[in-house]
Amino acid sequence: MAAIPPICDFGWKAPRFTLPATDGRSYSLDQLKGRNGTLVAFICNHCPYVKSVIGRLVRDASDMDALGIATIAINANDAVQYPEDGFADMEVFAAANRLPFPYLHDESQAVARAYGAICTPDFFGFNAHLELQYRGRLDASRKDVVPDARRDLYEAMKQVAATGQGPEAQIASMGCSIKWKAG
């Protein structure tokens, strides 16, 4: 059963973090944020929803970079219960998909909890002041690609880059639930 996060809580401030990345370094939100905005995407390696959107997310991240919007991906899934989401497989996933953005590991799940992440993918689009302006879907595709679908995430973040504000109308993302650790 798919999990669906709530719609945008406009103006909510991004929680700060520092996490290890698949490139062997650790990064803070302040190091990675974009001059016109930042997209924090909770993803993982095994989720069919993520596998479906990853190519389009890579495309959109590259296009958003040209607008001064930085993209950060975070995997918070329990790798004990879901070994495919372990750090070594994250490195493989990042290389195989040629991720043009940092792919960070939230092993403690503290960052996912601070953000209130619900599913993979779960997109949090912030303006230059790290105020939430978008929490919606990438596009109309779910597990199956919808040809010529409107690029909801890209269009929203383009608006955020230009005005500092996201669209009032947003459609929630959908995906596999975050795999929380027991206890």
Side-chain angles (χ1 to χ4, degrees):
M1 184 170 152
I4 300 173
I7 297 297
C8 187
D9 181 9
F10 288 96
W12 179 78
K13 295 290 279 186
R16 299 304 210 263
F17 59 78
T18 300
L19 293 170
T22 56
D23 68 1
R25 298 176 55 197
S26 287
Y27 296 97
S28 70
L29 175 60
D30 290 328
Q31 288 174 299
L32 297 175
K33 69 182 181 179
R35 73 181 182 284
N36 293 326
T38 305
L39 173 68
V40 177
F42 287 86
I43 67 171
C44 68
N45 307 330
H46 87 276
C47 172
Y49 292 92
V50 172
K51 288 178 179 180
S52 174
V53 303
I54 195 64
R56 293 185 315 284
L57 177 58
V58 165
R59 173 203 63 198
D60 288 357
S62 294
D63 290 350
M64 289 186 298
D65 186 58
L67 303 172
I69 303 278
T71 299
I72 304 163
I74 300 174
N75 177 3
N77 276 357
D78 178 1
V80 173
Q81 295 296 320
Y82 295 85
E84 292 172 81
D85 287 331
F87 192 76
D89 286 324
M90 287 176 60
E91 293 170 326
V92 171
F93 184 87
N97 290 288
R98 297 186 180 116
L99 300 186
F101 45 79
Y103 190 18
L104 310 178
H105 190 211
D106 180 17
E107 184 176 9
S108 75
Q109 301 184 319
V111 175
R113 288 191 190 286
Y115 275 74
I118 300 293
C119 62
T120 57
D122 198 349
F123 301 110
F124 294 78
F126 298 94
N127 64 18
H129 304 290
L130 294 174
E131 300 164 333
L132 188 64
Q133 297 298 315
Y134 187 73
R135 188 165 183 197
R137 67 186 186 181
L138 183 91
D139 61 26
S141 303
R142 299 296 188 192
K143 289 185 203 172
D144 299 314
V145 176
V146 174
D148 301 319
R150 181 179 185 278
R151 296 168 68 187
D152 295 341
L153 173 67
Y154 173 76
E155 292 299 330
M157 293 309 292
K158 183 177 171 184
Q159 180 178 328
V160 169
T163 70
Q165 297 182 327
E168 286 293 322
Q170 300 181 14
I171 299 170
S173 186
M174 178 187 291
C176 298
S177 63
I178 298 283
K179 307 309 183 207
W180 299 108
K181 295 179 181 182

PDB file of all heavy atoms in Angstrom, residues 74-97:
ATOM      1  N   ILE A  74      18.292  11.950   0.339  1.00  0.00           N
ATOM      2  CA  ILE A  74      18.580  11.303   1.618  1.00  0.00           C
ATOM      3  C   ILE A  74      17.874   9.955   1.673  1.00  0.00           C
ATOM      4  O   ILE A  74      16.692   9.860   1.364  1.00  0.00           O
ATOM      5  CB  ILE A  74      18.102  12.175   2.806  1.00  0.00           C
ATOM      6  CG1 ILE A  74      18.813  13.527   2.793  1.00  0.00           C
ATOM      7  CG2 ILE A  74      18.324  11.451   4.137  1.00  0.00           C
ATOM      8  CD1 ILE A  74      18.300  14.516   3.845  1.00  0.00           C
ATOM      9  N   ASN A  75      18.621   8.924   2.077  1.00  0.00           N
ATOM     10  CA  ASN A  75      18.053   7.592   2.309  1.00  0.00           C
ATOM     11  C   ASN A  75      18.077   7.341   3.813  1.00  0.00           C
ATOM     12  O   ASN A  75      19.137   7.326   4.429  1.00  0.00           O
ATOM     13  CB  ASN A  75      18.873   6.525   1.584  1.00  0.00           C
ATOM     14  CG  ASN A  75      18.378   5.109   1.838  1.00  0.00           C
ATOM     15  OD1 ASN A  75      17.379   4.891   2.508  1.00  0.00           O
ATOM     16  ND2 ASN A  75      19.100   4.152   1.305  1.00  0.00           N
ATOM     17  N   ALA A  76      16.875   7.124   4.377  1.00  0.00           N
ATOM     18  CA  ALA A  76      16.761   6.885   5.817  1.00  0.00           C
ATOM     19  C   ALA A  76      16.240   5.494   6.136  1.00  0.00           C
ATOM     20  O   ALA A  76      16.009   5.178   7.297  1.00  0.00           O
ATOM     21  CB  ALA A  76      15.824   7.928   6.430  1.00  0.00           C
ATOM     22  N   ASN A  77      16.053   4.653   5.133  1.00  0.00           N
ATOM     23  CA  ASN A  77      15.459   3.335   5.385  1.00  0.00           C
ATOM     24  C   ASN A  77      16.331   2.449   6.263  1.00  0.00           C
ATOM     25  O   ASN A  77      17.560   2.519   6.225  1.00  0.00           O
ATOM     26  CB  ASN A  77      15.174   2.611   4.075  1.00  0.00           C
ATOM     27  CG  ASN A  77      13.842   3.019   3.468  1.00  0.00           C
ATOM     28  OD1 ASN A  77      13.096   3.806   4.038  1.00  0.00           O
ATOM     29  ND2 ASN A  77      13.538   2.479   2.304  1.00  0.00           N
ATOM     30  N   ASP A  78      15.685   1.583   7.027  1.00  0.00           N
ATOM     31  CA  ASP A  78      16.346   0.600   7.888  1.00  0.00           C
ATOM     32  C   ASP A  78      17.020  -0.444   6.998  1.00  0.00           C
ATOM     33  O   ASP A  78      16.352  -1.280   6.391  1.00  0.00           O
ATOM     34  CB  ASP A  78      15.304  -0.051   8.796  1.00  0.00           C
ATOM     35  CG  ASP A  78      15.873  -1.124   9.701  1.00  0.00           C
ATOM     36  OD1 ASP A  78      17.099  -1.385   9.657  1.00  0.00           O
ATOM     37  OD2 ASP A  78      15.087  -1.717  10.456  1.00  0.00           O
ATOM     38  N   ALA A  79      18.334  -0.384   6.925  1.00  0.00           N
ATOM     39  CA  ALA A  79      19.088  -1.298   6.059  1.00  0.00           C
ATOM     40  C   ALA A  79      19.215  -2.699   6.653  1.00  0.00           C
ATOM     41  O   ALA A  79      19.583  -3.629   5.935  1.00  0.00           O
ATOM     42  CB  ALA A  79      20.472  -0.725   5.762  1.00  0.00           C
ATOM     43  N   VAL A  80      18.903  -2.866   7.920  1.00  0.00           N
ATOM     44  CA  VAL A  80      18.918  -4.209   8.506  1.00  0.00           C
ATOM     45  C   VAL A  80      17.742  -5.001   7.946  1.00  0.00           C
ATOM     46  O   VAL A  80      17.889  -6.144   7.503  1.00  0.00           O
ATOM     47  CB  VAL A  80      18.876  -4.150  10.052  1.00  0.00           C
ATOM     48  CG1 VAL A  80      18.717  -5.534  10.650  1.00  0.00           C
ATOM     49  CG2 VAL A  80      20.141  -3.480  10.586  1.00  0.00           C
ATOM     50  N   GLN A  81      16.564  -4.391   7.961  1.00  0.00           N
ATOM     51  CA  GLN A  81      15.374  -5.048   7.428  1.00  0.00           C
ATOM     52  C   GLN A  81      15.310  -5.003   5.907  1.00  0.00           C
ATOM     53  O   GLN A  81      14.686  -5.857   5.283  1.00  0.00           O
ATOM     54  CB  GLN A  81      14.112  -4.394   8.010  1.00  0.00           C
ATOM     55  CG  GLN A  81      13.963  -4.568   9.502  1.00  0.00           C
ATOM     56  CD  GLN A  81      13.789  -6.035   9.896  1.00  0.00           C
ATOM     57  OE1 GLN A  81      13.096  -6.802   9.241  1.00  0.00           O
ATOM     58  NE2 GLN A  81      14.466  -6.431  10.961  1.00  0.00           N
ATOM     59  N   TYR A  82      15.943  -4.001   5.302  1.00  0.00           N
ATOM     60  CA  TYR A  82      15.936  -3.802   3.842  1.00  0.00           C
ATOM     61  C   TYR A  82      17.379  -3.633   3.371  1.00  0.00           C
ATOM     62  O   TYR A  82      17.821  -2.515   3.111  1.00  0.00           O
ATOM     63  CB  TYR A  82      15.065  -2.593   3.471  1.00  0.00           C
ATOM     64  CG  TYR A  82      13.625  -2.842   3.818  1.00  0.00           C
ATOM     65  CD1 TYR A  82      13.139  -2.583   5.097  1.00  0.00           C
ATOM     66  CD2 TYR A  82      12.756  -3.389   2.874  1.00  0.00           C
ATOM     67  CE1 TYR A  82      11.825  -2.853   5.433  1.00  0.00           C
ATOM     68  CE2 TYR A  82      11.438  -3.662   3.205  1.00  0.00           C
ATOM     69  CZ  TYR A  82      10.979  -3.398   4.479  1.00  0.00           C
ATOM     70  OH  TYR A  82       9.673  -3.665   4.806  1.00  0.00           O
ATOM     71  N   PRO A  83      18.135  -4.737   3.261  1.00  0.00           N
ATOM     72  CA  PRO A  83      19.554  -4.662   2.941  1.00  0.00           C
ATOM     73  C   PRO A  83      19.868  -3.927   1.636  1.00  0.00           C
ATOM     74  O   PRO A  83      20.947  -3.347   1.506  1.00  0.00           O
ATOM     75  CB  PRO A  83      19.983  -6.131   2.857  1.00  0.00           C
ATOM     76  CG  PRO A  83      18.952  -6.887   3.613  1.00  0.00           C
ATOM     77  CD  PRO A  83      17.682  -6.102   3.501  1.00  0.00           C
ATOM     78  N   GLU A  84      18.934  -3.930   0.690  1.00  0.00           N
ATOM     79  CA  GLU A  84      19.158  -3.208  -0.575  1.00  0.00           C
ATOM     80  C   GLU A  84      19.343  -1.710  -0.355  1.00  0.00           C
ATOM     81  O   GLU A  84      19.836  -1.018  -1.237  1.00  0.00           O
ATOM     82  CB  GLU A  84      17.969  -3.404  -1.517  1.00  0.00           C
ATOM     83  CG  GLU A  84      17.795  -4.805  -2.045  1.00  0.00           C
ATOM     84  CD  GLU A  84      16.485  -4.919  -2.808  1.00  0.00           C
ATOM     85  OE1 GLU A  84      16.460  -4.508  -3.989  1.00  0.00           O
ATOM     86  OE2 GLU A  84      15.500  -5.399  -2.217  1.00  0.00           O
ATOM     87  N   ASP A  85      18.926  -1.211   0.806  1.00  0.00           N
ATOM     88  CA  ASP A  85      19.049   0.208   1.096  1.00  0.00           C
ATOM     89  C   ASP A  85      20.277   0.538   1.936  1.00  0.00           C
ATOM     90  O   ASP A  85      20.413   1.659   2.432  1.00  0.00           O
ATOM     91  CB  ASP A  85      17.770   0.722   1.777  1.00  0.00           C
ATOM     92  CG  ASP A  85      16.618   0.811   0.801  1.00  0.00           C
ATOM     93  OD1 ASP A  85      16.869   1.017  -0.404  1.00  0.00           O
ATOM     94  OD2 ASP A  85      15.468   0.661   1.238  1.00  0.00           O
ATOM     95  N   GLY A  86      21.182  -0.420   2.073  1.00  0.00           N
ATOM     96  CA  GLY A  86      22.422  -0.180   2.803  1.00  0.00           C
ATOM     97  C   GLY A  86      23.347   0.769   2.066  1.00  0.00           C
ATOM     98  O   GLY A  86      23.199   1.031   0.865  1.00  0.00           O
ATOM     99  N   PHE A  87      24.335   1.282   2.786  1.00  0.00           N
ATOM    100  CA  PHE A  87      25.233   2.306   2.240  1.00  0.00           C
ATOM    101  C   PHE A  87      25.992   1.822   1.006  1.00  0.00           C
ATOM    102  O   PHE A  87      26.122   2.564   0.036  1.00  0.00           O
ATOM    103  CB  PHE A  87      26.200   2.792   3.320  1.00  0.00           C
ATOM    104  CG  PHE A  87      26.941   4.028   2.909  1.00  0.00           C
ATOM    105  CD1 PHE A  87      26.305   5.258   2.914  1.00  0.00           C
ATOM    106  CD2 PHE A  87      28.262   3.959   2.513  1.00  0.00           C
ATOM    107  CE1 PHE A  87      26.976   6.408   2.517  1.00  0.00           C
ATOM    108  CE2 PHE A  87      28.954   5.098   2.122  1.00  0.00           C
ATOM    109  CZ  PHE A  87      28.309   6.327   2.128  1.00  0.00           C
ATOM    110  N   ALA A  88      26.484   0.592   1.014  1.00  0.00           N
ATOM    111  CA  ALA A  88      27.229   0.082  -0.149  1.00  0.00           C
ATOM    112  C   ALA A  88      26.330   0.075  -1.399  1.00  0.00           C
ATOM    113  O   ALA A  88      26.774   0.444  -2.494  1.00  0.00           O
ATOM    114  CB  ALA A  88      27.780  -1.312   0.119  1.00  0.00           C
ATOM    115  N   ASP A  89      25.069  -0.312  -1.229  1.00  0.00           N
ATOM    116  CA  ASP A  89      24.140  -0.299  -2.360  1.00  0.00           C
ATOM    117  C   ASP A  89      23.755   1.127  -2.756  1.00  0.00           C
ATOM    118  O   ASP A  89      23.427   1.391  -3.917  1.00  0.00           O
ATOM    119  CB  ASP A  89      22.895  -1.132  -2.050  1.00  0.00           C
ATOM    120  CG  ASP A  89      23.196  -2.625  -2.102  1.00  0.00           C
ATOM    121  OD1 ASP A  89      24.005  -3.046  -2.941  1.00  0.00           O
ATOM    122  OD2 ASP A  89      22.612  -3.368  -1.282  1.00  0.00           O
ATOM    123  N   MET A  90      23.780   2.052  -1.811  1.00  0.00           N
ATOM    124  CA  MET A  90      23.557   3.462  -2.149  1.00  0.00           C
ATOM    125  C   MET A  90      24.646   3.953  -3.097  1.00  0.00           C
ATOM    126  O   MET A  90      24.359   4.686  -4.047  1.00  0.00           O
ATOM    127  CB  MET A  90      23.556   4.328  -0.888  1.00  0.00           C
ATOM    128  CG  MET A  90      22.337   4.194  -0.019  1.00  0.00           C
ATOM    129  SD  MET A  90      22.472   5.174   1.516  1.00  0.00           S
ATOM    130  CE  MET A  90      22.668   6.845   0.878  1.00  0.00           C
ATOM    131  N   GLU A  91      25.896   3.552  -2.830  1.00  0.00           N
ATOM    132  CA  GLU A  91      27.002   3.943  -3.709  1.00  0.00           C
ATOM    133  C   GLU A  91      26.788   3.404  -5.117  1.00  0.00           C
ATOM    134  O   GLU A  91      26.992   4.120  -6.104  1.00  0.00           O
ATOM    135  CB  GLU A  91      28.330   3.448  -3.136  1.00  0.00           C
ATOM    136  CG  GLU A  91      28.708   4.125  -1.834  1.00  0.00           C
ATOM    137  CD  GLU A  91      29.898   3.480  -1.143  1.00  0.00           C
ATOM    138  OE1 GLU A  91      30.072   2.252  -1.216  1.00  0.00           O
ATOM    139  OE2 GLU A  91      30.657   4.237  -0.522  1.00  0.00           O
ATOM    140  N   VAL A  92      26.355   2.157  -5.218  1.00  0.00           N
ATOM    141  CA  VAL A  92      26.078   1.535  -6.517  1.00  0.00           C
ATOM    142  C   VAL A  92      24.928   2.271  -7.216  1.00  0.00           C
ATOM    143  O   VAL A  92      24.999   2.589  -8.401  1.00  0.00           O
ATOM    144  CB  VAL A  92      25.764   0.028  -6.352  1.00  0.00           C
ATOM    145  CG1 VAL A  92      25.263  -0.583  -7.646  1.00  0.00           C
ATOM    146  CG2 VAL A  92      26.992  -0.715  -5.837  1.00  0.00           C
ATOM    147  N   PHE A  93      23.851   2.542  -6.464  1.00  0.00           N
ATOM    148  CA  PHE A  93      22.679   3.241  -6.996  1.00  0.00           C
ATOM    149  C   PHE A  93      23.065   4.628  -7.520  1.00  0.00           C
ATOM    150  O   PHE A  93      22.651   5.031  -8.611  1.00  0.00           O
ATOM    151  CB  PHE A  93      21.608   3.349  -5.907  1.00  0.00           C
ATOM    152  CG  PHE A  93      20.322   3.969  -6.344  1.00  0.00           C
ATOM    153  CD1 PHE A  93      19.317   3.198  -6.914  1.00  0.00           C
ATOM    154  CD2 PHE A  93      20.082   5.326  -6.174  1.00  0.00           C
ATOM    155  CE1 PHE A  93      18.116   3.759  -7.305  1.00  0.00           C
ATOM    156  CE2 PHE A  93      18.889   5.901  -6.560  1.00  0.00           C
ATOM    157  CZ  PHE A  93      17.897   5.112  -7.135  1.00  0.00           C
ATOM    158  N   ALA A  94      23.853   5.368  -6.741  1.00  0.00           N
ATOM    159  CA  ALA A  94      24.275   6.715  -7.144  1.00  0.00           C
ATOM    160  C   ALA A  94      25.084   6.667  -8.436  1.00  0.00           C
ATOM    161  O   ALA A  94      24.866   7.480  -9.343  1.00  0.00           O
ATOM    162  CB  ALA A  94      25.085   7.372  -6.035  1.00  0.00           C
ATOM    163  N   ALA A  95      25.997   5.709  -8.539  1.00  0.00           N
ATOM    164  CA  ALA A  95      26.820   5.590  -9.750  1.00  0.00           C
ATOM    165  C   ALA A  95      25.989   5.128 -10.944  1.00  0.00           C
ATOM    166  O   ALA A  95      26.101   5.691 -12.041  1.00  0.00           O
ATOM    167  CB  ALA A  95      27.977   4.629  -9.500  1.00  0.00           C
ATOM    168  N   ALA A  96      25.152   4.120 -10.742  1.00  0.00           N
ATOM    169  CA  ALA A  96      24.350   3.570 -11.839  1.00  0.00           C
ATOM    170  C   ALA A  96      23.385   4.601 -12.416  1.00  0.00           C
ATOM    171  O   ALA A  96      23.117   4.602 -13.620  1.00  0.00           O
ATOM    172  CB  ALA A  96      23.580   2.341 -11.364  1.00  0.00           C
ATOM    173  N   ASN A  97      22.882   5.486 -11.557  1.00  0.00           N
ATOM    174  CA  ASN A  97      21.920   6.491 -12.007  1.00  0.00           C
ATOM    175  C   ASN A  97      22.556   7.856 -12.277  1.00  0.00           C
ATOM    176  O   ASN A  97      21.856   8.813 -12.588  1.00  0.00           O
ATOM    177  CB  ASN A  97      20.782   6.618 -10.999  1.00  0.00           C
ATOM    178  CG  ASN A  97      19.908   5.396 -10.997  1.00  0.00           C
ATOM    179  OD1 ASN A  97      19.149   5.174 -11.928  1.00  0.00           O
ATOM    180  ND2 ASN A  97      20.041   4.572  -9.963  1.00  0.00           N
TER     181      ASN A  97
END
